[in-house]
Amino acid sequence: MNDRERVEKDMEMFEENLSKYHPKGEKEKEIVDMAVRYFEDAKFYLERGDIMTAFGCINYAHGLLDALIKLE
């Protein structure tokens, strides 16, 4: 798997995990919104060929969502 494919796979995993998470309150919704913005940034950078920045963005998005899931 090359670097681009890795980022694409991480993006798919984020979308799948996001579809399973349902925020309970306003703070959680704000954090989900932030994670989604990082996901959108990852798409933006990936489309422009900046794989490293895309990788950083999608991993930050995963971290935010994972933290919310752990808090439940």
Side-chain angles (χ1 to χ4, degrees):
M1 175 181 311
N2 66 33
D3 292 342
R4 182 182 188 86
E5 292 169 337
R6 170 74 189 271
V7 172
E8 289 170 343
K9 182 177 179 178
D10 285 349
M11 292 172 74
E12 289 173 16
M13 287 174 28
F14 175 80
E15 287 181 302
E16 182 179 319
N17 291 337
L18 182 63
S19 72
K20 296 176 186 176
Y21 178 75
H22 304 289
K24 306 236 185 299
E26 273 309 305
K27 290 291 184 190
E28 290 85 356
K29 289 177 185 176
E30 289 176 27
I31 295 170
V32 166
D33 182 55
M34 189 183 315
V36 169
R37 285 182 297 194
Y38 275 105
F39 170 75
E40 293 298 326
D41 287 347
K43 288 195 304 190
F44 172 85
Y45 288 111
L46 188 62
E47 289 172 4
R48 281 148 186 78
D50 186 348
I51 305 297
M52 292 303 293
T53 304
F55 185 74
C57 289
I58 195 57
N59 278 287
Y60 203 85
H62 274 294
L64 290 168
L65 188 57
D66 288 346
L68 287 171
I69 291 168
K70 294 283 184 197
L71 287 173
E72 287 189 337

